[in-house]
């Protein structure tokens, strides 16, 4: 499976970029990557803010994990990891998720992921702001790209073809779910502009 | 030309690939967030359900406390309940007194029943008819008579030509039962069924479900089998809706029906064993489960989970008689020890009806429910080996797919009530089995619409329902919560960090919920991440029946209203719906000391005096408790009582 790395840094607004805090000197290994135009905060203030941020992340990660921990024994089914990571606001591709799983699985995979392994890895993901979500306009552009004839809609068959044959194909369940909300039952078409607008509102 | 075109094509297809990836990536993220929201809603429902069950333990302790310390209420009427019990036994006499009017347009059954009566019932219930009390009582009496002859465990055999269908919890969901009959066929000699408990409570058609099951049993007694569930218990019914349903549908004869039902429950078999291989019970097992003992005990002495045997009851019969409250259906006889099971026996049954399987090894008290235990895979293996059995089929827990297999295939949960928490929350399922063949699972889901609702709609429905119920819990603790918030608000700004808000919520409500994630639904949070904590109470209030009463009292009474209802029902042995002021005061004193409730006696007196509207010295407690209901700000009708009957 080919992996295509794309970035949407150009989509980030100036204000967002300026607000980033450097995470050098933290307890975890960082890649040392520095974003352009970030502000550097001096010494102990930086360390303190870092601690506060990490504490925040820990609480959020704990809650997201626990709600899927059906046995209350600090483990979740490996198949729920994708949902947990995404519920924390990240948008990894399937390939990226696969790599992440490799970091949190046991030496001998048991089908379960332990919280102790998940927490540091996920904290790092949040600190690095990895797997950033796709901005709405980029999403809309993607639909427009698929609609080569610029009709303002896609037919159900077209969408199914693209989603199940290109990129990281949908499973049947994923496809059916998407169709159930996206297809206008009268015309059997997907008016993607309306669709994107409604979905975005609902997601927030 | 070839070269140029292919370069263009590959650029185009790379664009398409990128676009597809963007959409797929976005959709998967969106879908995951919806599923997480769904899971949060389920967590709320489950946590509240188990918190309710847990508080049962407190109630049960209170009853024991009451029985040991409370003096007789009806000093002048010791024979009263004796008389009541005698009357209960005389079926013919009672039925002879009831007349079914000509104007009755519901189903008319003809005893002895046959398959046409089953069809008649089903058709009538589909058309929203209510079965007349005469027939209800007839069915109950006849069923009780038949069940009395049955052993504690039903032993069944299946074959390739005659399989068996096992259904789990139905909880008064008539639609699910009818859907199962539609898919799987009506019960008959060639289509046997086993119903694994919890036929009633929570759903609105418990009586109809029960009637169909019992009439089917009377028509095909060799092929329809019933196991007792933890809700086949007259005290559970008081709390979880069936008692209310009966009193609403049967205003004249409701009390008689309740009395008969109370006894009938105790005769329902504890479990079943199929082909000497499969144990079918409602809840589960414990490490000390003794099937031989369970086969021998007098099961009808197990009245309710809330009535454990008194400590030392067999040793000091005299003392118990003097201090006894006359409970409905339970008479302090000359030899009171014969009335009750031993503690060990009682616990054995509780384990069967209340336990849940878990992944952790060992056996632990079931703190979630307050009764039974959590049993691990090693317990299942050892008990199954001990009795040369292969599998356990049980119910008792709602599962998203209607069934679940655990403990390495040894323990199977089957739950037949779909949409248990809310529309769209879960599927229901049933099992078909035949000797020598694999188990087959069938799923279903009741829906009012003709096509499957899209995910975001289902999530919205579940989420708003869960939040609504949670807010009712929050408003019931307003005084305590406000205090907890203010203690942490050093600057008196009216704001706390979300963390502090979450901590306060958990410390008072103790529901073990992801408060930070839920905060956006429950309180106003500004862009700096600070919660305006008093907005936690803004959309909802408890309706004050009496203007002068303090909020703290109102909240306490609202919170404990179900428990109080049960207690009052017990004291009110003649079932008149009224208790005297004296009884009420005595009751309240005991209650407040045992539950550690900080309300002064004089405040309760004042309240009681105000409620005694006709000033005759007695209180209609149903009216008293009904007066405390919750008003949701944006609702057209304020009837949270009926809408959430499953939580009462």
């Amino acid at each position: 499976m080919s992996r295509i790395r794309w970035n949407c840094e150009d989509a980030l607004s100036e204000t967002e970029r300026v607000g980033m805090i450097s995470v050098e000197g933290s307890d975890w290994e960082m890649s040392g990557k520095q974003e352009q135009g970030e502000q550097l905060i001096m010494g102990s203030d930086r360390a303190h803010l870092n601690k506060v941020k990490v504490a925040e992340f820990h609480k959020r990660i704990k809650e997201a994990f626990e709600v899927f921990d059906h046995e209350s024994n600090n483990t979740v089914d490996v198949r729920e990891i994708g949902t947990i990571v995404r519920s924390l606001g990240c948008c990894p591709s399937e390939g990226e998720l696969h790599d992440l799983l490799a970091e949190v699985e046991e030496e001998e995979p048991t089908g379960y992921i332990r919280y102790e392994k998940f927490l540091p890895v996920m904290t790092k993901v949040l600190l690095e702001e990895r797997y950033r979500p796709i901005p709405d306009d980029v999403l809309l552009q993607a639909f427009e790209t698929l609609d080569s004839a610029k009709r303002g809609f896609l037919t159900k068959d077209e969408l199914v073809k693209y989603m199940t044959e290109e990129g990281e194909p949908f499973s049947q369940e994923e496809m059916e779910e998407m169709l159930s909300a996206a297809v206008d039952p009268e015309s059997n078409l997907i008016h993607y502009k309306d669709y994107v607008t409604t979905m975005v509102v609902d997601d927030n | 030309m070839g070269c140029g075109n292919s370069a263009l094509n590959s650029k185009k297809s790379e664009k398409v690939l990128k676009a597809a990836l963007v959409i797929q990536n976005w959709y998967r993220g969106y879908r995951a967030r919806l599923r997480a929201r769904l899971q949060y809603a389920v967590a709320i429902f489950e946590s509240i359900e188990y918190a309710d069950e847990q508080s049962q333990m407190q109630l049960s302790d209170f009853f024991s406390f009451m029985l040991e310390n409370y003096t007789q209420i009806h000093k002048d009427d010791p024979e009263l309940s004796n008389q009541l019990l005698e009357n209960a036994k005389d079926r013919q006499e009672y039925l002879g007194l009831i007349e079914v009017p000509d104007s009755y347009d519901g189903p008319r059954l003809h005893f002895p029943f046959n398959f046409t009566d089953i069809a008649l019932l089903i058709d009538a219930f589909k058309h929203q008819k209510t079965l007349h009390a005469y027939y209800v009582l007839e069915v109950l009496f006849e069923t009780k008579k038949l069940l009395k002859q049955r052993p504690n465990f039903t032993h069944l055999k299946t074959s390739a030509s005659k399989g068996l269908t096992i259904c789990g919890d139905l909880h008064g969901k008539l639609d699910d039962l009818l859907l199962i009959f539609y898919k799987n066929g009506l019960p008959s000699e060639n289509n046997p069924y086993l119903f694994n408990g919890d036929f009633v409570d929570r759903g609105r058609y418990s009586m109809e479900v029960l009637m169909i099951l019992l009439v089917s049993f009377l028509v095909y007694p060799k092929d329809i089998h019933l196991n007792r569930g933890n809700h086949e218990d007259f005290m559970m019914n008081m709390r979880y809706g069936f008692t209310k349903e009966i009193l609403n549908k049967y205003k004249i004869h409701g009390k008689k029906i309740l009395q008969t039902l109370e006894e009938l429950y105790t005769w329902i078999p504890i479990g079943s064993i199929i082909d000497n291989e499969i144990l079918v019970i409602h809840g589960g097992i414990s490490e000390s489960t003794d099937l031989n003992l369970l086969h021998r005990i007098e099961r009808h002495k197990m009245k309710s989970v809330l009535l454990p045997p008194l400590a030392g009851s067999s040793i000091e019969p005299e003392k118990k008689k003097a201090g006894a409250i006359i409970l409905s259906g339970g008479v302090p006889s000359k030899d009171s020890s014969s009335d009750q099971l031993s503690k060990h026996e009682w616990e054995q049954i509780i384990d069967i009806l209340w336990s849940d399987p878990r992944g952790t090894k060992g056996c632990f008290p079931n703190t979630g429910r307050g009764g039974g235990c959590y049993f691990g895979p090693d317990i299942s293996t050892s008990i199954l080996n001990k009795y040369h059995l292969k599998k356990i089929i049980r119910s008792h827990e709602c599962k998203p797919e209607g069934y679940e297999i655990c403990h390495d295939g040894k323990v199977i949960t089957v739950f037949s009530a779909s949409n248990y928490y809310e529309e769209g929350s879960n599927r229901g399922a049933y099992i078909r089995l035949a000797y020598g063949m694999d188990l087959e699972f069938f799923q279903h889901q009741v829906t009012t619409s003709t096509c499957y609702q899209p995910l975001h709609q289902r999530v919205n429905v579940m989420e708003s329902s869960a939040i609504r119920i949670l807010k009712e819990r929050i408003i019931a603790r307003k005084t305590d919560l406000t205090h907890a918030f203010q203690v942490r608000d050093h600057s008196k700004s009216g704001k706390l960090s979300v963390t502090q808000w979450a901590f306060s919520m958990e410390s008072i409500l103790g529901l073990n919920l992801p408060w930070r994630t839920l905060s956006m639904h429950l309180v106003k949070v500004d862009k700096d991440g600070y919660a305006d904590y008093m907005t936690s109470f803004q959309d909802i209030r408890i309706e004050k029946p009496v203007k002068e009463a303090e909020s703290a009292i109102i909240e306490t009474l609202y919170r404990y209203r179900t428990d109080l209802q049960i207690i009052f029902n017990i004291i009110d042995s003649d079932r008149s719906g009224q208790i005297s002021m004296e009884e009420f005061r005595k009751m309240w004193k005991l209650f407040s000391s045992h539950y550690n409730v900080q309300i002064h006696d004089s405040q309760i007196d004042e309240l009681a005096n105000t409620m005694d509207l006709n000033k005759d010295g007695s209180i209609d407690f149903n009216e008293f408790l009904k007066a405390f209901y919750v008003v949701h700000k944006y609702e057209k009708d304020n009837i949270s009582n009926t809408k959430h009957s499953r939580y009462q």
Side-chain angles (χ1 to χ4, degrees):
Chain A
M1 176 167 41
S2 65
R3 296 204 312 166
I4 296 196
R5 281 205 44 139
W6 52 273
N7 55 50
C8 58
E9 274 175 13
D10 27 322
L12 280 176
S13 66
E14 268 307 296
T15 49
E16 278 180 53
R17 218 178 288 185
V18 159
M20 274 190 264
I21 300 173
S22 158
V23 292
E24 276 183 277
S26 67
D27 294 350
W28 293 269
E29 281 171 38
M30 301 303 283
S31 55
K33 190 162 67 99
Q34 286 207 337
E35 308 288 319
Q36 281 181 353
E38 71 187 343
Q39 275 184 348
L40 289 174
I41 299 174
M42 300 313 289
S44 62
D45 286 343
R46 191 201 305 160
H48 174 71
L49 272 162
N50 195 31
K51 263 197 188 141
V52 166
K53 214 174 185 188
V54 164
E56 270 284 310
F57 288 155
H58 280 188
K59 291 194 189 84
R60 281 178 53 199
I61 296 169
K62 185 168 190 285
E63 278 193 351
F65 190 89
E66 276 182 351
V67 85
F68 287 96
D69 176 13
H70 303 298
E71 294 264 337
S72 304
N73 60 0
N74 288 329
T75 66
V76 300
D77 190 315
V78 63
R79 292 166 290 185
E80 312 267 37
I81 289 293
T83 312
I84 297 172
V85 172
R86 288 172 171 134
S87 77
L88 288 163
C90 304
C91 286
S93 68
E94 292 289 277
E96 288 167 327
L97 194 59
H98 192 256
D99 294 342
L100 189 71
L101 266 173
E103 285 184 66
V104 294
E105 265 180 333
E106 304 294 319
E107 310 258 307
E108 301 229 2
T110 59
Y112 289 95
I113 305 296
R114 287 186 300 121
Y115 181 63
E116 300 83 58
K117 276 207 136 184
F118 183 70
L119 181 65
V121 174
M122 195 65 218
T123 309
K124 203 168 151 185
V125 166
L126 290 180
L127 278 169
E128 288 174 2
E129 292 187 34
R130 247 191 269 169
Y131 316 136
R132 278 182 223 135
I134 298 148
D136 310 338
D137 51 343
V138 172
L139 178 61
L140 189 57
Q141 270 169 41
F143 275 105
E144 283 168 357
T145 308
L146 296 181
D147 177 19
S148 47
K150 306 291 167 234
R151 299 156 297 177
F153 60 80
L154 288 169
T155 68
K156 184 168 144 188
D157 290 338
E158 282 170 347
L159 184 66
V160 171
K161 185 171 97 139
Y162 286 127
M163 294 293 104
T164 57
E165 289 176 21
E166 300 278 351
E168 292 173 328
F170 272 172
S171 67
Q172 196 186 345
E173 206 190 325
E174 286 170 323
M175 193 68 249
E176 277 173 11
E177 262 181 37
M178 184 179 190
L179 288 174
S180 72
V183 176
D184 169 20
E186 279 172 37
S187 58
N188 229 23
L189 302 171
I190 295 110
H191 301 279
Y192 49 82
K193 189 132 193 263
D194 294 334
Y195 177 58
V196 169
T197 327
T198 342
M199 291 297 113
V200 160
V201 164
D202 202 52
D203 206 8
N204 297 328
Chain B
M1 227 208 88
C3 247
N5 271 346
S6 72
L8 198 68
N9 277 340
S10 82
K11 182 144 194 247
K12 198 170 151 194
S13 68
E14 195 188 308
K15 265 191 146 183
V16 163
L17 177 59
K18 266 193 171 181
L21 278 170
V22 164
I23 297 173
Q24 286 159 344
N25 187 312
W26 161 80
Y27 187 73
R28 284 181 171 124
Y30 166 74
R31 183 171 177 260
R33 281 185 289 281
L34 279 180
R35 293 176 75 209
R37 277 168 61 196
L38 195 71
Q39 199 57 40
Y40 285 120
V42 169
I44 293 174
F45 285 125
E46 274 179 2
S47 143
I48 289 181
E49 178 176 0
Y50 294 146
D52 273 353
E53 293 189 347
Q54 201 179 62
S55 66
Q56 239 131 245
M57 226 51 227
Q58 217 185 5
L59 192 60
S60 171
D61 285 345
F62 180 65
F63 281 140
S64 309
F65 174 69
M66 234 166 60
L67 287 170
E68 282 161 25
N69 295 291
Y70 203 46
T71 53
Q72 259 180 320
I73 301 175
H74 293 282
K75 285 199 206 81
D76 43 8
D77 228 337
E79 292 306 312
L80 174 62
S81 85
N82 259 329
Q83 284 172 25
L84 285 174
L85 207 65
E86 285 313 308
N87 282 343
K89 284 180 183 163
D90 202 343
R91 170 237 204 271
Q92 275 313 120
E93 201 180 283
Y94 195 87
L95 274 191
L97 296 172
I98 308 181
E99 266 192 48
V100 183
D102 289 336
S103 57
Y104 169 70
D105 69 340
R108 290 171 186 266
L109 308 178
H110 297 94
F111 189 76
F113 305 126
N114 62 33
F115 67 89
T116 52
D117 293 290
I118 301 177
L120 208 63
L121 266 187
I122 290 177
D123 191 62
F125 292 153
K126 275 187 184 162
H127 291 97
Q128 310 275 20
K129 302 272 189 263
T130 304
L131 186 65
H132 194 275
Y134 176 88
Y135 299 113
V136 171
L137 284 163
E138 193 175 42
V139 169
L140 292 177
F141 282 132
E142 293 301 326
T143 309
K144 192 178 78 180
K145 220 160 68 180
L146 208 50
L147 285 177
K148 267 180 161 170
Q149 301 160 14
R150 294 300 173 90
N152 292 348
F153 279 81
T154 311
H155 286 258
L156 296 170
K157 285 214 177 316
T158 64
S159 64
S161 55
K162 187 166 167 173
L164 173 70
T165 306
I166 302 178
C167 295
D169 295 32
L170 285 166
H171 280 302
K173 308 285 238 73
L174 183 61
D175 286 337
D176 284 87
L177 182 60
L178 296 180
L179 185 52
I180 293 172
F181 285 165
Y182 178 73
K183 286 175 64 144
N184 194 55
L186 287 176
S188 73
E189 307 104 327
N190 295 320
N191 196 13
Y193 276 85
L194 166 56
F195 295 98
N196 198 16
D198 279 11
F199 323 127
V200 300
D201 274 338
R202 300 189 195 270
R204 285 169 39 212
Y205 297 102
S206 297
M207 182 49 88
E208 285 72 26
V209 166
L210 186 65
M211 283 297 112
I212 293 175
L213 295 188
L214 296 187
V215 170
S216 304
F217 169 70
L218 288 170
V219 176
Y220 302 108
K222 292 207 192 71
D223 301 297
I224 305 301
H225 313 283
L226 305 168
N227 284 347
R228 192 175 183 185
N230 63 311
H231 279 262
E232 275 69 57
D233 177 326
F234 75 105
M235 288 212 178
M236 291 291 281
N237 292 168
M238 282 191 215
R239 185 180 258 262
Y240 289 99
F242 190 27
T243 306
K244 209 172 195 176
E245 183 189 320
I246 292 175
L247 293 174
N248 275 336
K249 285 179 178 164
Y250 300 99
K251 293 192 162 51
I252 304 171
H253 300 287
K255 289 162 186 176
K256 184 71 190 172
I257 292 174
L258 286 172
Q259 218 168 21
T260 319
L261 204 48
E262 198 178 301
E263 242 201 289
L264 182 140
Y265 285 150
T266 64
W267 287 108
I268 301 178
I270 298 169
S272 305
I273 297 178
I274 305 174
D275 296 328
N276 276 325
E277 275 186 352
I278 305 180
L279 176 65
V280 187
I281 45 186
H282 178 74
I285 52 173
S286 78
E287 60 193 347
S288 57
T289 290
D290 182 348
L291 285 183
N292 294 323
L293 175 69
L294 284 164
H295 271 74
R296 285 195 315 262
I297 61 177
E298 295 174 87
R299 72 176 186 273
H300 68 282
K301 290 182 177 175
M302 170 55 171
K303 304 256 175 250
S304 166
V305 68
L306 290 176
L307 293 174
L310 293 173
S313 58
S314 48
I315 300 169
E316 294 168 290
E318 279 306 310
K319 186 176 173 194
K320 182 186 170 236
K321 200 160 60 151
I325 290 181
I326 297 168
L327 297 174
S328 49
V331 181
S333 59
K334 280 174 229 155
D335 178 18
S336 51
S337 62
S338 70
D339 236 9
Q340 303 197 23
L341 296 168
S342 71
K343 189 157 189 288
H344 178 65
E345 289 169 338
W346 188 85
E347 274 169 8
Q348 285 276 320
I349 303 187
I350 293 289
D351 285 341
I352 296 289
L353 299 181
W354 284 81
S355 300
D356 293 313
R358 285 292 179 266
T360 326
K361 283 189 179 167
C363 192
F364 307 94
N366 191 326
T367 46
R369 297 189 193 263
C373 67
Y374 290 128
F375 62 99
D378 52 332
I379 306 290
S380 301
T381 309
S382 84
I383 296 288
L384 285 172
N385 284 344
K386 186 171 172 195
Y387 296 104
H388 310 290
L389 298 167
K390 296 209 179 129
K391 278 201 217 308
I392 296 172
I393 296 180
R394 45 88 65 176
S395 304
H396 196 41
E397 281 183 295
C398 176
K399 298 291 177 193
E401 292 299 316
Y403 74 96
E404 192 178 86
I405 305 175
C406 66
H407 291 191
D408 206 21
K410 296 202 170 99
V411 174
I412 297 164
T413 303
V414 62
F415 193 87
S416 302
S418 64
N419 305 330
Y420 179 63
Y421 292 122
E422 179 54 81
E423 193 177 331
S425 66
N426 63 289
R427 293 191 165 116
Y430 58 89
I431 300 174
R432 280 192 70 92
L433 64 82
Y435 184 71
M437 300 173 61
D438 289 333
L439 297 178
E440 287 182 295
F441 296 87
F442 294 86
Q443 295 168 300
H444 61 270
Q445 192 158 17
V446 167
T447 174
T448 44
S449 49
T450 46
C451 64
Y452 206 40
Q453 261 187 339
L455 185 61
H456 71 272
Q457 248 177 288
R458 281 185 284 142
V459 170
N460 281 336
V461 168
M462 282 215 34
E463 193 176 60
S464 45
S465 184
I467 296 295
R468 202 166 175 279
I469 290 163
L470 189 52
K471 279 186 170 168
E472 287 178 5
R473 296 285 153 142
I474 292 172
I475 197 74
R477 303 302 301 265
K478 182 174 174 182
T479 309
D480 292 335
L481 281 168
T482 309
H483 184 253
F485 291 146
Q486 285 168 342
V487 154
R488 290 180 178 87
D489 182 11
H490 302 299
S491 56
K492 307 280 169 243
S493 59
K495 294 197 171 190
L496 287 175
S497 72
V498 172
T499 309
Q500 288 170 308
W501 175 88
F503 191 80
S504 313
M505 296 295 279
E506 182 61 27
S507 71
I508 300 294
L509 290 167
L511 291 168
N512 198 27
L513 286 173
W515 295 107
R516 297 177 58 85
T517 319
L518 296 172
S519 61
M520 61 169 135
H521 299 291
L522 300 172
V523 69
K524 270 211 174 75
V525 180
D526 65 25
K527 53 180 168 56
D528 298 320
Y530 282 87
D532 185 346
Y533 52 79
M534 291 310 283
T535 60
S536 310
F537 313 113
Q538 67 179 2
D539 295 332
I540 184 170
R541 68 177 196 278
I542 300 176
E543 191 58 61
K544 272 192 198 180
V546 176
K547 295 284 180 251
E548 301 80 46
E550 273 179 34
S551 301
I553 301 181
I554 303 291
E555 282 168 35
T556 307
L557 287 165
Y558 174 74
R559 214 154 72 231
Y560 289 108
R561 70 196 187 290
T562 323
D563 291 350
L564 287 169
Q565 206 160 14
I566 298 176
I567 294 168
F568 288 152
N569 270 305
I570 301 299
I571 303 176
D572 178 30
S573 57
D574 63 355
R575 292 228 151 97
S576 61
Q578 309 248 322
I579 53 172
S580 70
M581 287 292 285
E582 181 60 26
E583 286 167 343
F584 178 73
R585 283 198 193 91
K586 266 202 180 124
M587 209 49 257
W588 188 260
K589 234 190 155 100
L590 279 174
F591 182 85
S592 59
S593 74
H594 193 84
Y595 277 80
N596 219 8
V597 162
Q598 308 293 340
I599 292 182
H600 206 264
D601 292 345
S602 58
Q603 289 171 318
I604 293 302
D605 272 358
E606 249 178 68
L607 197 59
N609 276 321
T610 331
M611 292 311 294
D612 178 18
L613 296 170
N614 42 6
K615 305 291 172 213
D616 66 348
S618 73
I619 301 168
D620 183 333
F621 57 83
N622 280 318
E623 289 308 313
F624 176 72
L625 291 170
K626 247 200 244 170
F628 298 89
Y629 60 90
V630 161
V631 178
H632 291 267
K633 191 171 168 195
Y634 299 107
E635 247 156 54
K636 284 183 276 209
D637 42 328
N638 308 343
I639 330 167
S640 78
N641 273 351
T642 47
K643 192 157 187 185
H644 293 290
S645 61
R646 66 176 92 111
Y647 288 100
Q648 286 184 337

